[in-house]
Amino acid sequence: MATKSKNTNVLTKIICVILSLICVFSAAHFAMNILTAVNAYHITAEDFNGAELGKSVAQSNKIRESVERDIQNMNYQLQAKDSNRLKKEFAKRKTDFVNSLTKSFIEEKAYFSEDEGEEFFNAEYPIEVDGLVYSIQIYSDDRISFLTDDESSARQKLNEKFDRFLKNKDFSNYTIIENRDCSDCVLGAYDKVNKTSFSSTDNAPEEKDVMSHEYAFVYKDGNVTCSKGFEGLFESFSVFNKNYDYYFYVDENDGSFSGYTAMIDTAKQGSDVNLLKSLIIATVLTLISLIFAIVCFAICGKKLENGKVKRAFIDYVPTDLHILISGFLISLSGIAAAFIIDLIISYAYPFENLLRLALYGTFAIAWALFIEGVTSIIRVCKSENGIIQNLLIYKAVKYLIIKPAKFIYRKVRPLLSYKFNNFNKMITRWIAGFAAVNILFLIVIDNLSFSSYKLVFIFGWVAFNGAVISKAVEYLKSLDIIITASHYRQTPQVDYNKLPESLKILVNSLNYTNAELKNAVDKAVADERMRTELITNVSHDLKTPLTSIISYVDLLKTCDITDENAKEYIDILDEKGGKLKRLIEDLIEASKITSGVINIEPFNINLAELATQAVVEHQQEFTDNSLTLVFKGDKRVVNAFADGNKTYRVIENLISNARKYSLKGTRVYADVYETQNYSIFEIKNTSAEPLDIPVSELKERFVRGDKSRTNEGNGLGLSIADNLCRAQNGYLNITIDGDLFKAQVMLPKVKN
């Protein structure tokens, strides 16, 4: 049920997000319709009357303003062709022109560098007449040189330049006017008074050719005639000069996507928009989108069965960084949307529908980023850590300030809080005295002017600090000697009488510790020697009478005894005598191994063959005890460098140990193999009793896995095996896993 609820929750969130994006996408479409109409026409509150806008292209204020601007530009162009009038105006500015540019030449020449700048003087001089600005350019071709010309020659060349300028018959090329440069229209004007004309084409078209276009007009003799597309474009003739005739038309075959073509396209799109309806629909869709987003916000961040909030991978990004990234991407979407809107309004591309889809998509992406950011913030707020701990600034403060400060505090605090037992008074006096003397020296040196007295105090200050440092080095040297002696358990070679009290205490403690350690070692060695001698002597003392007992038991077994109880008693004596004999032999061998009185004669042996022999000899004993001995190494050749007799004893001990302590009815596995450095005999068995004893203790003498000690065995087998392995530069590795007991005899491999 919990999984079903969780899946339903996720599905609901996905549906809410999708529906919210669809609503935003659709709302953007209706908002774009309103924007198109507003851009093309002068929209007032009266246009939101519930009816379609019903505007014509000629009513577009944008087109009207553009046409009026182009007519004004034509007027400027015609004015620029009235050369006689302009020459009189220009002649009045000659002196100012020459003086101003000569001054500029002299100033630039003063800072001229042949290696860094151009040789020739370049400048621009504007002249304004009747609202038109004419720009005279001084270029390198005028040959006014910083290297060869002085003020006089430069002034002469500027006069000549201005005279050449006055000889022009048409000053149109010198005018600086606002030119729309719409390549998709043809326009022209004729000055009836001065008999001059201007046209954007090489040849002025006939009136009938102008009016054959859908968007065109002709102004002639005070009357304006508009084509069908421009009907009602001019409500008054204020833009026209009655001394001029004008013509204008939009060239549909120009192939341009901008200019009047784009303005007409935008006007057509906005002409039939129902502003009120579009506004209502856009508003309703926006509100619905917001409602779906709020539902998504409300159901996100639900807690799981363990009480924790499931977080998405994006939630682990620091929240403030997440907000910055989302804000940046939303801003990019806004910039992209503004760019696409400009393309739609300013150009009439045939793929405009694709541009509109891209525009609506950018709004949907921005809205999706907003929903994603808010849902992430909600999940973080509901999580166990909260939003504060997920902030980048919090993490920066925590890991760059708080944690380092805590680390330093933890390191410094013990030093500050520790109360010295031996150094307290001494350190306090030394530090206080050292600081006081240094401060005194510095005060005196600072207040003395440079003289022999100041040099004396400086020398004294240096000598004082040198003496203190020397004492500190001597102290550290003695401490280092004591530490080194402690490491090697030696007596420190220092002058005890010259040591500080703290180091004397340390030396006394070290000497006492070394003496106690030596006594403990000597006592342990003596105890071990006595124990070994006791075992050896007792074993020898027991062996002699035991041999006689066993011999007499053997004689009794040959006698003609008819009493069945007597026969049973003799068998028991024989069994117990044999067991006691084996114990004594093991004790003697263990004693020899421990005391080092053992002769090891290693040579290259076939470990697999030796193990096979031991397995075959004990196979029947396993069968008699309801055990199965499985040996896998009988067909292998595994050589080792070891003593054959001692190795056989080790293998025999382990096989005997497995026979004694294995669970009845189980298998015992033995194997022989080799690794990179060792030849190994391995045996594994399942213990009949729980092995709740550490591996290290199993190798000790008289320690048995059978704590009840009801089974046969004396607890010396593993100890002897371990010592024999060590004597041959190998070792016995024992592993216990539950009731599984595994022993590995690891011996050196054959030497070449």
Side-chain angles (χ1 to χ4, degrees):
M1 290 298 293
T3 304
K4 184 176 180 181
S5 175
K6 177 182 176 183
N7 294 335
T8 303
N9 192 35
V10 173
L11 182 61
T12 304
K13 285 192 289 186
I14 293 174
I15 293 174
C16 286
V17 171
I18 293 174
L19 292 177
S20 182
L21 294 179
I22 292 173
C23 290
V24 167
F25 190 92
S26 304
H29 168 70
F30 290 97
M32 187 60 194
N33 289 342
I34 297 174
L35 182 62
T36 303
V38 171
N39 178 264
Y41 302 100
H42 178 64
I43 302 299
T44 64
E46 296 176 356
D47 295 313
F48 289 86
N49 53 12
E52 291 184 352
L53 192 60
K55 299 279 188 179
S56 65
V57 171
Q59 292 176 285
S60 171
N61 58 303
K62 192 170 184 179
I63 295 177
R64 177 190 297 274
E65 291 170 358
S66 298
V67 172
E68 290 178 352
R69 188 180 296 110
D70 285 336
I71 291 174
Q72 191 64 41
N73 287 340
M74 285 190 287
N75 294 340
Y76 288 157
Q77 297 288 352
L78 286 173
Q79 290 179 28
K81 289 190 174 186
D82 190 355
S83 58
N84 292 327
R85 181 178 65 86
L86 291 176
K87 287 177 182 180
K88 295 177 182 179
E89 294 294 329
F90 291 154
K92 299 176 183 178
R93 318 288 176 88
K94 180 178 180 180
T95 301
D96 184 58
F97 167 81
V98 174
N99 291 338
S100 177
L101 292 186
T102 301
K103 181 179 179 182
S104 297
F105 171 78
I106 297 302
E107 291 176 351
E108 292 186 25
K109 184 175 181 179
Y111 295 100
F112 172 73
S113 173
E114 187 175 356
D115 296 331
E116 298 179 0
E118 293 289 339
E119 176 185 351
F120 297 102
F121 175 59
N122 295 284
E124 178 182 354
Y125 187 80
I127 302 176
E128 183 178 353
V129 179
D130 297 334
L132 288 178
V133 179
Y134 299 82
S135 178
I136 306 175
Q137 302 286 343
I138 307 298
Y139 294 116
S140 299
D141 294 340
D142 295 304
R143 315 302 294 179
I144 303 177
S145 172
F146 292 115
L147 295 174
T148 59
D149 288 317
D150 55 11
E151 181 178 355
S152 177
S153 59
R155 184 178 294 276
Q156 180 182 350
K157 290 181 179 181
L158 288 171
N159 274 293
E160 294 172 356
K161 171 72 175 181
F162 199 84
D163 290 339
R164 289 195 301 272
F165 170 70
L166 290 178
K167 292 180 181 180
N168 282 285
K169 294 182 179 180
D170 186 354
F171 294 98
S172 299
N173 294 330
Y174 293 90
T175 56
I176 301 176
I177 60 174
E178 184 183 2
N179 190 351
R180 289 183 56 78
D181 192 24
C182 292
S183 61
D184 62 342
C185 71
V186 176
L187 51 88
Y190 175 69
D191 186 351
K192 293 183 289 184
V193 177
N194 296 307
K195 309 298 183 181
T196 58
S197 64
F198 167 81
S199 178
S200 61
T201 59
D202 294 334
N203 298 313
E206 297 291 335
E207 182 178 346
K208 62 179 181 178
D209 294 330
V210 173
M211 297 304 296
S212 65
H213 294 274
E214 182 177 2
Y215 301 98
F217 70 85
V218 173
Y219 178 84
K220 189 173 183 180
D221 297 331
N223 296 314
V224 60
T225 304
C226 294
S227 63
K228 183 178 180 181
F230 274 167
E231 285 183 359
L233 178 64
F234 300 104
E235 299 175 356
S236 65
F237 305 141
S238 58
V239 297
F240 298 121
N241 188 330
K242 294 183 179 180
N243 294 325
Y244 297 160
D245 289 339
Y246 304 91
Y247 62 87
F248 174 96
Y249 68 86
V250 178
D251 187 3
E252 299 90 344
N253 300 320
D254 179 76
S256 173
F257 298 123
S258 59
Y260 284 96
T261 303
M263 287 186 281
I264 292 171
D265 180 69
T266 304
K268 286 181 177 180
Q269 292 179 14
S271 61
D272 297 326
V273 174
N274 189 319
L275 296 177
L276 182 60
K277 180 180 177 181
S278 298
L279 180 62
I280 293 174
I281 294 175
T283 303
V284 171
L285 288 173
T286 302
L287 292 175
I288 294 174
S289 174
L290 185 59
I291 291 172
F292 281 124
I294 292 173
V295 172
C296 183
F297 299 155
I299 63 177
C300 77
K302 293 294 184 182
K303 291 187 177 181
L304 302 176
E305 294 178 356
N306 58 6
K308 295 184 178 180
V309 174
K310 183 178 180 182
R311 297 170 64 177
F313 73 95
I314 196 67
D315 299 341
Y316 293 96
V317 176
T319 305
D320 44 357
L321 180 62
H322 188 180
I323 293 173
L324 287 176
I325 294 174
S326 297
F328 175 73
L329 294 177
I330 292 173
S331 300
L332 284 183
S333 300
I335 294 172
F339 176 72
I340 296 173
I341 290 173
D342 182 67
L343 289 179
I344 293 174
I345 292 176
S346 302
Y347 298 89
Y349 291 120
F351 49 84
E352 184 176 318
N353 288 333
L354 293 177
L355 288 175
R356 283 179 171 264
L357 290 176
L359 173 65
Y360 307 152
T362 56
F363 280 106
I365 291 172
W367 186 244
L369 289 170
F370 173 75
I371 293 176
E372 182 275 329
V374 174
T375 52
S376 176
I377 292 173
I378 293 173
R379 286 193 298 269
V380 172
C381 290
K382 290 183 178 181
S383 65
E384 60 274 13
N385 293 331
I387 192 172
I388 300 298
Q389 297 186 30
N390 203 51
L391 295 176
L392 181 62
I393 187 171
Y394 172 83
K395 295 179 183 294
V397 171
K398 179 179 179 181
Y399 291 102
L400 296 180
I401 299 177
I402 297 177
K403 283 205 168 186
K406 286 184 177 179
F407 175 79
I408 295 172
Y409 177 72
R410 285 196 301 269
K411 294 296 182 182
V412 174
R413 182 183 178 185
L415 298 176
L416 299 177
S417 60
Y418 181 75
K419 295 182 179 180
F420 292 94
N421 295 318
N422 299 295
F423 294 101
N424 192 21
K425 294 181 179 179
M426 184 184 71
I427 284 184
T428 303
R429 292 171 182 173
W430 272 97
I431 293 177
F434 181 74
V437 174
N438 271 283
I439 292 172
L440 181 62
F441 267 112
L442 291 174
I443 291 174
V444 173
I445 292 171
D446 183 62
N447 286 278
L448 284 176
S449 59
F450 188 78
S451 62
S452 56
Y453 293 107
K454 188 168 187 175
L455 290 176
V456 170
F457 274 96
I458 292 175
F459 177 78
W461 178 60
V462 173
F464 169 74
N465 282 279
V468 173
I469 293 173
S470 175
K471 283 292 183 181
V473 170
E474 184 179 347
Y475 184 91
L476 292 175
K477 179 181 176 182
S478 299
L479 180 61
D480 183 69
I481 293 173
I482 295 171
I483 293 173
T484 304
S486 174
H487 176 73
Y488 292 104
R489 303 291 189 272
Q490 298 173 351
T491 301
Q493 302 300 316
V494 292
D495 189 349
Y496 181 81
N497 295 324
K498 293 183 178 181
L499 291 178
E501 189 63 31
S502 57
L503 294 185
K504 286 182 179 180
I505 295 173
L506 186 59
V507 170
N508 293 335
S509 175
L510 179 59
N511 291 335
Y512 176 79
T513 302
N514 288 340
E516 289 295 315
L517 179 62
K518 184 177 182 304
N519 293 334
V521 171
D522 292 342
K523 185 176 183 302
V525 171
D527 291 344
E528 182 64 24
R529 186 183 298 112
M530 184 178 66
R531 185 163 52 250
T532 302
E533 291 175 354
L534 175 63
I535 293 173
T536 304
N537 295 332
V538 170
S539 299
H540 279 288
D541 292 341
L542 290 175
K543 190 174 183 180
T544 302
L546 180 63
T547 303
S548 299
I549 294 172
I550 293 174
S551 298
Y552 282 112
V553 169
D554 289 339
L555 291 174
L556 286 173
K557 291 173 69 174
T558 59
C559 295
D560 186 13
I561 301 175
T562 58
D563 190 350
E564 293 299 327
N565 290 331
K567 290 182 179 180
E568 182 181 351
Y569 298 153
I570 292 173
D571 291 337
I572 293 174
L573 287 173
D574 184 43
E575 178 187 353
K576 299 302 181 182
K579 184 176 180 181
L580 186 58
K581 181 181 179 181
R582 288 193 298 273
L583 173 60
I584 293 173
E585 289 175 349
D586 287 345
L587 282 172
I588 293 173
E589 184 171 7
S591 177
K592 290 180 180 179
I593 294 173
T594 304
S595 60
V597 185
I598 182 172
N599 187 22
I600 300 294
E601 297 180 357
F603 55 91
N604 294 338
I605 63 172
N606 189 336
L607 183 62
E609 184 178 327
L610 199 66
T612 302
Q613 180 183 346
V615 168
V616 171
E617 290 182 1
H618 293 81
Q619 188 75 52
Q620 187 59 41
E621 296 178 7
F622 279 81
T623 303
D624 295 342
N625 285 274
S626 302
L627 296 171
T628 303
L629 179 58
V630 180
F631 182 58
K632 299 180 180 179
D634 53 342
K635 296 181 180 180
R636 299 176 184 170
V637 177
V638 179
N639 296 319
F641 185 73
D643 188 315
N645 293 329
K646 304 299 187 293
T647 302
Y648 184 83
R649 177 64 190 277
V650 171
I651 295 174
E652 188 180 38
N653 277 6
L654 293 177
I655 292 175
S656 177
N657 189 72
R659 177 185 61 79
K660 296 173 185 176
Y661 298 109
S662 293
L663 181 67
K664 303 296 183 182
T666 60
R667 294 182 181 88
V668 177
Y669 293 92
D671 196 5
V672 177
Y673 57 92
E674 58 184 357
T675 61
Q676 184 176 358
N677 299 317
Y678 292 96
S679 297
I680 301 174
F681 169 77
E682 180 182 274
I683 187 167
K684 295 183 289 186
N685 67 286
T686 303
S687 175
E689 300 292 335
L691 295 173
D692 54 350
I693 184 171
V695 172
S696 59
E697 291 188 19
L698 280 176
K699 295 181 182 181
E700 297 294 330
R701 287 177 292 179
F702 305 109
V703 175
R704 296 169 55 180
D706 173 24
K707 290 188 175 182
S708 63
R709 309 185 75 87
T710 56
N711 293 333
E712 57 178 311
N714 50 44
L716 292 172
L718 291 180
S719 175
I720 293 173
D722 181 54
N723 284 299
L724 287 176
C725 288
R726 293 178 184 275
Q728 300 180 85
N729 296 321
Y731 62 94
L732 177 64
N733 183 33
I734 296 178
T735 306
I736 296 176
D737 185 4
D739 291 334
L740 178 64
F741 177 89
K742 181 171 73 173
Q744 293 174 309
V745 178
M746 308 186 74
L747 299 172
K749 297 182 70 173
V750 171
K751 296 183 178 180
N752 296 326

